[in-house]
Amino acid sequence: MLRHKLSCILTGLAGLLGSAARAQNPIITNQFTADPTARVFNGRVYVYPSHDIRAAPGRGRAGWFVMEDYHVFSSANLTDWTDHGVIVTQNKVPWVKPDSYSMWAPDCTYRNGKYYFYFPTTPKDTTSSKGFTIGVAVADKPTGPFVPQPLPIKGVRGIDPNVFIDQDGQAYLYWSQGNIYGAKLKENMLELASEPVTLGELPTQGLKEGPYVFKRNATYYLTYPHVANKTERLEYATSTSPLGPFKVQGVIMDESPTGCWTNHHSILPFKNQWYLFYHHNDLSPAFDKNRSVRIDSLFFEPDGAIRKVVPTLRGVGLTDARQKIQLDRYSQLSPGGASVAFLDTANKFQGWKTVFNGSQGWVRYNGVAFGTKPLRTVTMRVTAAAGATVQIRVDGASGPVLAQVTVPKGSRWQEVKAPLSTFKPGTHTLVVSAKTTMPVEIDWVKFD
């Protein structure tokens, strides 16, 4: 028992200490995360994702989604993320089948001084509750501790809970199970206040799931993943009422170009900008049941239509020049001259490297904040078997040269430091290029 408790404590500390400052996609790289619901509480963004893990003997179904608990992550700037650890786990919820490993997509909202965390999973009593049911855990803080209710919500069968509170104070619960359903919630946020209704006028062919509802101006937006072809794309419909009928308007994000079968999302405004939180299998390209959360900016047309979001590796937010800048999460890459590969294919959580194939290789990385205090050196984690010269510029290929870095010969990674020849305060685009014909690989760059 003591060994088990110590293991749990160390695991929790690893989650907290392993939270890297990330401005790039995916935003979490020390574990798999999926199905992100993002909320703003007290000026800070909290992300409540599901937590993919690998199947093992007696631990989930091989080749399928395996999830036993939930973490919560938070950030004040969408760049630096903190893992607050496990908030709900399957073996500590009274009504959950403890070996189901089916803690799927959750949501969280705030009401009357309490935080309500909604999650779907398999109940112990499968005779009277076939399939998934949805439960609630309640906390005084957005990071918990969350106390699960003894029973799931009566009258709800399905997955992917989403809660929307309208301006008049009425709360609604949405979920999916073949169709997408909605119902009013009571003031206590724990019981339905109306019979579930099927949200109509949506596509009848292909899987629909993962509803996320928000209101902008006088329009209610119902957003959802839909398999129109082979994999899920994100679509949306609009209405003048929170329970519809809804009219399908278009696609928010196209199908994954690499075949990730699922996508699941949330949308919110933060500091005068709208954002789309979604997932992809970046850290597990050969197995799309292990996903990772991404963020990209989202924009509306003047008529209220959602402009289609094109996924990026760069993501959102500014990167502090004093932090490790991951060039592999680039804004633009020279075609044929540079590429991205895993640092260690046996441990993909270590992330990626940028491989420059010769003097035509370059990478552009937007949004580096240099601040106002002069920086004097650049450090680069780099390897080049035959040696190399790397040039760093700002504001384009013809912009001023910050540094020319000479990389010594060697087959191992080394941290090479060089002086800056100039300094430009403010936020700039970084351009890093190889100036020799032999290959060179870069893990990260940072300035001091």
Short mmCIF file of all heavy atoms in Angstrom, two decimals, residues 88-134:
data_model
loop_
_atom_site.label_atom_id
_atom_site.label_comp_id
_atom_site.label_asym_id
_atom_site.label_seq_id
_atom_site.Cartn_x
_atom_site.Cartn_y
_atom_site.Cartn_z
N VAL A 88 -9.91 13.24 -11.77
CA VAL A 88 -10.90 12.16 -11.63
C VAL A 88 -10.29 10.90 -12.21
O VAL A 88 -9.64 10.95 -13.28
CB VAL A 88 -12.22 12.49 -12.37
CG1 VAL A 88 -13.16 11.29 -12.33
CG2 VAL A 88 -12.91 13.70 -11.76
N THR A 89 -10.47 9.78 -11.53
CA THR A 89 -9.96 8.51 -12.04
C THR A 89 -11.05 7.44 -11.91
O THR A 89 -11.89 7.50 -11.00
CB THR A 89 -8.68 8.08 -11.30
OG1 THR A 89 -8.14 6.92 -11.93
CG2 THR A 89 -8.94 7.81 -9.84
N GLN A 90 -11.03 6.45 -12.79
CA GLN A 90 -12.14 5.51 -12.89
C GLN A 90 -12.36 4.69 -11.63
O GLN A 90 -13.50 4.34 -11.30
CB GLN A 90 -11.94 4.58 -14.09
CG GLN A 90 -10.73 3.66 -13.99
CD GLN A 90 -10.57 2.76 -15.21
OE1 GLN A 90 -11.26 2.93 -16.20
NE2 GLN A 90 -9.65 1.82 -15.13
N ASN A 91 -11.29 4.35 -10.90
CA ASN A 91 -11.46 3.48 -9.73
C ASN A 91 -11.84 4.22 -8.46
O ASN A 91 -11.88 3.65 -7.38
CB ASN A 91 -10.19 2.64 -9.49
CG ASN A 91 -8.96 3.50 -9.25
OD1 ASN A 91 -9.08 4.70 -9.07
ND2 ASN A 91 -7.80 2.86 -9.26
N LYS A 92 -12.14 5.54 -8.59
CA LYS A 92 -12.59 6.31 -7.43
C LYS A 92 -13.96 6.95 -7.66
O LYS A 92 -14.34 7.86 -6.92
CB LYS A 92 -11.55 7.36 -7.07
CG LYS A 92 -10.25 6.76 -6.54
CD LYS A 92 -9.27 7.83 -6.09
CE LYS A 92 -7.99 7.20 -5.55
NZ LYS A 92 -7.03 8.25 -5.10
N VAL A 93 -14.67 6.47 -8.68
CA VAL A 93 -16.03 6.94 -8.94
C VAL A 93 -16.98 5.79 -8.61
O VAL A 93 -16.87 4.71 -9.20
CB VAL A 93 -16.21 7.38 -10.41
CG1 VAL A 93 -17.63 7.88 -10.64
CG2 VAL A 93 -15.20 8.47 -10.77
N PRO A 94 -17.91 5.99 -7.67
CA PRO A 94 -18.71 4.88 -7.16
C PRO A 94 -19.44 4.07 -8.22
O PRO A 94 -19.55 2.84 -8.09
CB PRO A 94 -19.71 5.57 -6.21
CG PRO A 94 -19.05 6.84 -5.82
CD PRO A 94 -18.24 7.27 -7.00
N TRP A 95 -19.97 4.73 -9.27
CA TRP A 95 -20.83 4.02 -10.22
C TRP A 95 -20.08 3.49 -11.45
O TRP A 95 -20.68 2.81 -12.29
CB TRP A 95 -21.96 4.93 -10.68
CG TRP A 95 -21.50 6.22 -11.32
CD1 TRP A 95 -21.26 7.40 -10.67
CD2 TRP A 95 -21.23 6.46 -12.70
NE1 TRP A 95 -20.86 8.36 -11.57
CE2 TRP A 95 -20.84 7.80 -12.82
CE3 TRP A 95 -21.29 5.66 -13.85
CZ2 TRP A 95 -20.49 8.38 -14.05
CZ3 TRP A 95 -20.96 6.23 -15.07
CH2 TRP A 95 -20.55 7.57 -15.16
N VAL A 96 -18.77 3.75 -11.54
CA VAL A 96 -18.02 3.40 -12.75
C VAL A 96 -17.44 2.00 -12.66
O VAL A 96 -16.90 1.60 -11.62
CB VAL A 96 -16.89 4.43 -12.99
CG1 VAL A 96 -15.97 3.98 -14.12
CG2 VAL A 96 -17.48 5.80 -13.31
N LYS A 97 -17.52 1.28 -13.74
CA LYS A 97 -16.86 -0.02 -13.85
C LYS A 97 -15.35 0.22 -13.78
O LYS A 97 -14.78 0.87 -14.66
CB LYS A 97 -17.23 -0.70 -15.16
CG LYS A 97 -16.69 -2.10 -15.32
CD LYS A 97 -17.08 -2.69 -16.67
CE LYS A 97 -16.49 -4.09 -16.83
NZ LYS A 97 -16.75 -4.64 -18.18
N PRO A 98 -14.67 -0.28 -12.75
CA PRO A 98 -13.30 0.17 -12.47
C PRO A 98 -12.26 -0.27 -13.49
O PRO A 98 -11.17 0.30 -13.55
CB PRO A 98 -13.00 -0.44 -11.09
CG PRO A 98 -13.94 -1.58 -10.97
CD PRO A 98 -15.17 -1.20 -11.72
N ASP A 99 -12.56 -1.28 -14.30
CA ASP A 99 -11.59 -1.74 -15.29
C ASP A 99 -12.07 -1.45 -16.72
O ASP A 99 -11.67 -2.10 -17.67
CB ASP A 99 -11.32 -3.24 -15.13
CG ASP A 99 -12.59 -4.08 -15.31
OD1 ASP A 99 -13.70 -3.49 -15.34
OD2 ASP A 99 -12.47 -5.32 -15.42
N SER A 100 -12.93 -0.43 -16.87
CA SER A 100 -13.51 -0.15 -18.20
C SER A 100 -12.56 0.65 -19.08
O SER A 100 -12.62 0.54 -20.30
CB SER A 100 -14.82 0.61 -18.05
OG SER A 100 -14.63 1.81 -17.33
N TYR A 101 -11.71 1.47 -18.50
CA TYR A 101 -10.76 2.30 -19.26
C TYR A 101 -11.47 3.06 -20.38
O TYR A 101 -11.01 3.10 -21.52
CB TYR A 101 -9.62 1.44 -19.81
CG TYR A 101 -8.73 0.90 -18.71
CD1 TYR A 101 -8.98 -0.35 -18.14
CD2 TYR A 101 -7.68 1.66 -18.21
CE1 TYR A 101 -8.19 -0.84 -17.12
CE2 TYR A 101 -6.89 1.18 -17.18
CZ TYR A 101 -7.14 -0.06 -16.65
OH TYR A 101 -6.36 -0.53 -15.61
N SER A 102 -12.60 3.65 -20.02
CA SER A 102 -13.41 4.35 -21.03
C SER A 102 -13.80 5.75 -20.57
O SER A 102 -14.92 6.19 -20.79
CB SER A 102 -14.66 3.52 -21.34
OG SER A 102 -15.42 3.28 -20.16
N MET A 103 -12.86 6.44 -19.92
CA MET A 103 -13.12 7.80 -19.47
C MET A 103 -12.93 8.73 -20.67
O MET A 103 -11.85 9.31 -20.86
CB MET A 103 -12.19 8.18 -18.32
CG MET A 103 -12.19 7.18 -17.16
SD MET A 103 -13.75 7.16 -16.24
CE MET A 103 -13.48 8.46 -15.05
N TRP A 104 -13.99 8.87 -21.48
CA TRP A 104 -13.89 9.58 -22.75
C TRP A 104 -14.09 11.09 -22.57
O TRP A 104 -14.04 11.61 -21.47
CB TRP A 104 -14.90 8.97 -23.73
CG TRP A 104 -14.48 7.61 -24.23
CD1 TRP A 104 -13.50 6.81 -23.71
CD2 TRP A 104 -15.03 6.89 -25.34
NE1 TRP A 104 -13.42 5.63 -24.43
CE2 TRP A 104 -14.33 5.65 -25.42
CE3 TRP A 104 -16.04 7.15 -26.26
CZ2 TRP A 104 -14.62 4.71 -26.41
CZ3 TRP A 104 -16.32 6.21 -27.24
CH2 TRP A 104 -15.62 5.00 -27.33
N ALA A 105 -14.37 11.77 -23.66
CA ALA A 105 -14.34 13.23 -23.73
C ALA A 105 -15.18 13.92 -22.65
O ALA A 105 -16.38 13.67 -22.55
CB ALA A 105 -14.81 13.68 -25.11
N PRO A 106 -14.59 14.83 -21.84
CA PRO A 106 -15.29 15.50 -20.75
C PRO A 106 -15.61 16.96 -21.04
O PRO A 106 -15.30 17.49 -22.12
CB PRO A 106 -14.26 15.41 -19.62
CG PRO A 106 -12.95 15.65 -20.35
CD PRO A 106 -13.13 15.03 -21.73
N ASP A 107 -16.19 17.62 -20.05
CA ASP A 107 -16.43 19.07 -20.09
C ASP A 107 -16.41 19.57 -18.64
O ASP A 107 -16.54 18.78 -17.69
CB ASP A 107 -17.76 19.40 -20.75
CG ASP A 107 -17.91 20.88 -21.09
OD1 ASP A 107 -16.95 21.64 -20.88
OD2 ASP A 107 -19.00 21.28 -21.54
N CYS A 108 -16.27 20.88 -18.48
CA CYS A 108 -16.32 21.47 -17.15
C CYS A 108 -16.92 22.87 -17.27
O CYS A 108 -16.67 23.58 -18.25
CB CYS A 108 -14.92 21.56 -16.54
SG CYS A 108 -14.91 22.06 -14.80
N THR A 109 -17.72 23.26 -16.28
CA THR A 109 -18.31 24.60 -16.29
C THR A 109 -18.43 25.09 -14.86
O THR A 109 -18.29 24.33 -13.89
CB THR A 109 -19.68 24.60 -16.99
OG1 THR A 109 -20.06 25.94 -17.30
CG2 THR A 109 -20.74 23.95 -16.13
N TYR A 110 -18.70 26.39 -14.74
CA TYR A 110 -18.80 27.04 -13.43
C TYR A 110 -20.21 27.55 -13.21
O TYR A 110 -20.83 28.11 -14.12
CB TYR A 110 -17.82 28.21 -13.37
CG TYR A 110 -17.95 29.07 -12.13
CD1 TYR A 110 -17.38 28.67 -10.92
CD2 TYR A 110 -18.64 30.27 -12.18
CE1 TYR A 110 -17.50 29.46 -9.79
CE2 TYR A 110 -18.77 31.07 -11.05
CZ TYR A 110 -18.20 30.66 -9.86
OH TYR A 110 -18.33 31.44 -8.75
N ARG A 111 -20.73 27.35 -11.99
CA ARG A 111 -22.07 27.83 -11.66
C ARG A 111 -22.19 28.01 -10.16
O ARG A 111 -21.89 27.07 -9.40
CB ARG A 111 -23.13 26.82 -12.15
CG ARG A 111 -24.60 27.27 -11.96
CD ARG A 111 -24.95 28.27 -13.02
NE ARG A 111 -26.31 28.75 -12.95
CZ ARG A 111 -27.32 28.27 -13.70
NH1 ARG A 111 -27.12 27.28 -14.53
NH2 ARG A 111 -28.51 28.82 -13.61
N ASN A 112 -22.59 29.20 -9.71
CA ASN A 112 -22.91 29.46 -8.31
C ASN A 112 -21.79 29.03 -7.35
O ASN A 112 -22.02 28.38 -6.33
CB ASN A 112 -24.22 28.76 -7.93
CG ASN A 112 -25.41 29.30 -8.70
OD1 ASN A 112 -25.41 30.46 -9.12
ND2 ASN A 112 -26.42 28.47 -8.90
N GLY A 113 -20.56 29.39 -7.70
CA GLY A 113 -19.44 29.13 -6.81
C GLY A 113 -18.87 27.73 -6.88
O GLY A 113 -17.94 27.40 -6.12
N LYS A 114 -19.38 26.89 -7.77
CA LYS A 114 -18.90 25.51 -7.90
C LYS A 114 -18.47 25.24 -9.34
O LYS A 114 -18.97 25.84 -10.29
CB LYS A 114 -19.98 24.51 -7.50
CG LYS A 114 -20.46 24.62 -6.06
CD LYS A 114 -19.42 24.10 -5.08
CE LYS A 114 -19.96 24.11 -3.66
NZ LYS A 114 -18.96 23.60 -2.68
N TYR A 115 -17.56 24.27 -9.47
CA TYR A 115 -17.12 23.80 -10.79
C TYR A 115 -17.67 22.39 -11.00
O TYR A 115 -17.50 21.52 -10.13
CB TYR A 115 -15.60 23.82 -10.88
CG TYR A 115 -15.04 25.23 -10.81
CD1 TYR A 115 -14.77 25.82 -9.57
CD2 TYR A 115 -14.83 25.98 -11.96
CE1 TYR A 115 -14.30 27.12 -9.49
CE2 TYR A 115 -14.35 27.27 -11.89
CZ TYR A 115 -14.09 27.84 -10.65
OH TYR A 115 -13.63 29.13 -10.58
N TYR A 116 -18.32 22.20 -12.13
CA TYR A 116 -18.99 20.94 -12.44
C TYR A 116 -18.27 20.27 -13.61
O TYR A 116 -18.21 20.83 -14.70
CB TYR A 116 -20.46 21.18 -12.76
CG TYR A 116 -21.24 21.75 -11.60
CD1 TYR A 116 -21.29 23.13 -11.38
CD2 TYR A 116 -21.90 20.91 -10.71
CE1 TYR A 116 -22.00 23.65 -10.30
CE2 TYR A 116 -22.60 21.43 -9.63
CZ TYR A 116 -22.65 22.79 -9.43
OH TYR A 116 -23.34 23.30 -8.37
N PHE A 117 -17.73 19.09 -13.35
CA PHE A 117 -16.97 18.33 -14.34
C PHE A 117 -17.83 17.17 -14.82
O PHE A 117 -18.24 16.32 -14.02
CB PHE A 117 -15.67 17.83 -13.72
CG PHE A 117 -14.79 17.05 -14.66
CD1 PHE A 117 -14.04 17.69 -15.63
CD2 PHE A 117 -14.71 15.67 -14.57
CE1 PHE A 117 -13.23 16.97 -16.49
CE2 PHE A 117 -13.90 14.94 -15.42
CZ PHE A 117 -13.16 15.60 -16.39
N TYR A 118 -18.12 17.14 -16.12
CA TYR A 118 -18.99 16.12 -16.72
C TYR A 118 -18.14 15.14 -17.52
O TYR A 118 -17.27 15.55 -18.30
CB TYR A 118 -20.01 16.79 -17.64
CG TYR A 118 -20.95 17.74 -16.91
CD1 TYR A 118 -20.54 19.03 -16.59
CD2 TYR A 118 -22.22 17.34 -16.53
CE1 TYR A 118 -21.37 19.90 -15.90
CE2 TYR A 118 -23.06 18.21 -15.85
CZ TYR A 118 -22.63 19.48 -15.53
OH TYR A 118 -23.47 20.34 -14.85
N PHE A 119 -18.41 13.85 -17.33
CA PHE A 119 -17.58 12.84 -18.01
C PHE A 119 -18.43 11.61 -18.33
O PHE A 119 -19.31 11.23 -17.56
CB PHE A 119 -16.39 12.45 -17.14
CG PHE A 119 -16.77 11.89 -15.79
CD1 PHE A 119 -16.84 10.52 -15.57
CD2 PHE A 119 -17.05 12.73 -14.72
CE1 PHE A 119 -17.20 10.00 -14.34
CE2 PHE A 119 -17.41 12.23 -13.48
CZ PHE A 119 -17.48 10.87 -13.28
N PRO A 120 -18.15 10.97 -19.47
CA PRO A 120 -18.87 9.75 -19.84
C PRO A 120 -18.00 8.52 -19.59
O PRO A 120 -16.78 8.58 -19.73
CB PRO A 120 -19.08 9.95 -21.34
CG PRO A 120 -17.82 10.65 -21.78
CD PRO A 120 -17.35 11.47 -20.60
N THR A 121 -18.61 7.42 -19.24
CA THR A 121 -17.87 6.18 -19.12
C THR A 121 -18.84 5.01 -18.95
O THR A 121 -20.07 5.20 -18.95
CB THR A 121 -16.85 6.22 -17.97
OG1 THR A 121 -15.97 5.10 -18.07
CG2 THR A 121 -17.52 6.26 -16.62
N THR A 122 -18.30 3.83 -18.77
CA THR A 122 -19.10 2.62 -18.64
C THR A 122 -19.49 2.39 -17.18
O THR A 122 -18.63 2.37 -16.31
CB THR A 122 -18.31 1.40 -19.14
OG1 THR A 122 -17.84 1.66 -20.47
CG2 THR A 122 -19.18 0.15 -19.14
N PRO A 123 -20.77 2.21 -16.89
CA PRO A 123 -21.19 1.99 -15.51
C PRO A 123 -20.99 0.54 -15.07
O PRO A 123 -20.87 -0.37 -15.90
CB PRO A 123 -22.68 2.35 -15.55
CG PRO A 123 -23.10 1.99 -16.94
CD PRO A 123 -21.91 2.29 -17.82
N LYS A 124 -20.96 0.34 -13.76
CA LYS A 124 -20.90 -1.02 -13.22
C LYS A 124 -22.14 -1.81 -13.61
O LYS A 124 -22.07 -2.98 -14.00
CB LYS A 124 -20.79 -0.98 -11.70
CG LYS A 124 -19.49 -0.47 -11.15
CD LYS A 124 -19.53 -0.43 -9.63
CE LYS A 124 -18.24 0.10 -9.04
NZ LYS A 124 -18.32 0.22 -7.56
N ASP A 125 -23.30 -1.17 -13.49
CA ASP A 125 -24.58 -1.82 -13.76
C ASP A 125 -24.89 -1.72 -15.24
O ASP A 125 -25.57 -0.81 -15.70
CB ASP A 125 -25.68 -1.15 -12.94
CG ASP A 125 -27.04 -1.81 -13.14
OD1 ASP A 125 -27.09 -2.87 -13.80
OD2 ASP A 125 -28.04 -1.27 -12.64
N THR A 126 -24.38 -2.67 -16.01
CA THR A 126 -24.59 -2.65 -17.46
C THR A 126 -25.92 -3.29 -17.85
O THR A 126 -26.30 -3.24 -19.02
CB THR A 126 -23.44 -3.38 -18.17
OG1 THR A 126 -23.33 -4.71 -17.64
CG2 THR A 126 -22.12 -2.65 -17.98
N THR A 127 -26.62 -3.89 -16.89
CA THR A 127 -27.91 -4.51 -17.23
C THR A 127 -28.99 -3.45 -17.42
O THR A 127 -29.82 -3.52 -18.32
CB THR A 127 -28.34 -5.50 -16.13
OG1 THR A 127 -28.37 -4.82 -14.87
CG2 THR A 127 -27.35 -6.66 -16.05
N SER A 128 -28.99 -2.45 -16.52
CA SER A 128 -30.01 -1.40 -16.63
C SER A 128 -29.49 -0.17 -17.37
O SER A 128 -30.25 0.70 -17.76
CB SER A 128 -30.48 -0.97 -15.24
OG SER A 128 -29.39 -0.49 -14.47
N SER A 129 -28.15 -0.07 -17.55
CA SER A 129 -27.55 1.08 -18.22
C SER A 129 -26.58 0.59 -19.28
O SER A 129 -25.37 0.59 -19.09
CB SER A 129 -26.83 1.97 -17.20
OG SER A 129 -27.70 2.44 -16.22
N LYS A 130 -27.11 0.10 -20.39
CA LYS A 130 -26.25 -0.39 -21.46
C LYS A 130 -25.53 0.78 -22.13
O LYS A 130 -26.08 1.85 -22.30
CB LYS A 130 -27.07 -1.15 -22.49
CG LYS A 130 -27.64 -2.46 -21.95
CD LYS A 130 -28.39 -3.22 -23.05
CE LYS A 130 -28.91 -4.54 -22.51
NZ LYS A 130 -29.65 -5.32 -23.53
N GLY A 131 -24.26 0.52 -22.48
CA GLY A 131 -23.49 1.57 -23.11
C GLY A 131 -22.97 2.57 -22.09
O GLY A 131 -22.81 2.27 -20.91
N PHE A 132 -22.72 3.77 -22.55
CA PHE A 132 -22.13 4.81 -21.71
C PHE A 132 -23.21 5.60 -20.98
O PHE A 132 -24.30 5.81 -21.48
CB PHE A 132 -21.31 5.78 -22.56
CG PHE A 132 -19.95 5.28 -22.93
CD1 PHE A 132 -19.78 4.22 -23.81
CD2 PHE A 132 -18.81 5.87 -22.41
CE1 PHE A 132 -18.53 3.77 -24.17
CE2 PHE A 132 -17.54 5.43 -22.76
CZ PHE A 132 -17.40 4.37 -23.63
N THR A 133 -22.86 6.06 -19.80
CA THR A 133 -23.66 7.05 -19.09
C THR A 133 -22.75 8.22 -18.74
O THR A 133 -21.53 8.15 -18.90
CB THR A 133 -24.30 6.47 -17.82
OG1 THR A 133 -23.28 5.85 -17.03
CG2 THR A 133 -25.34 5.44 -18.18
N ILE A 134 -23.34 9.31 -18.25
CA ILE A 134 -22.58 10.54 -18.01
C ILE A 134 -22.74 10.93 -16.55
O ILE A 134 -23.86 11.00 -16.02
CB ILE A 134 -23.06 11.67 -18.94
CG1 ILE A 134 -22.69 11.33 -20.39
CG2 ILE A 134 -22.48 13.02 -18.53
CD1 ILE A 134 -23.28 12.27 -21.42
#
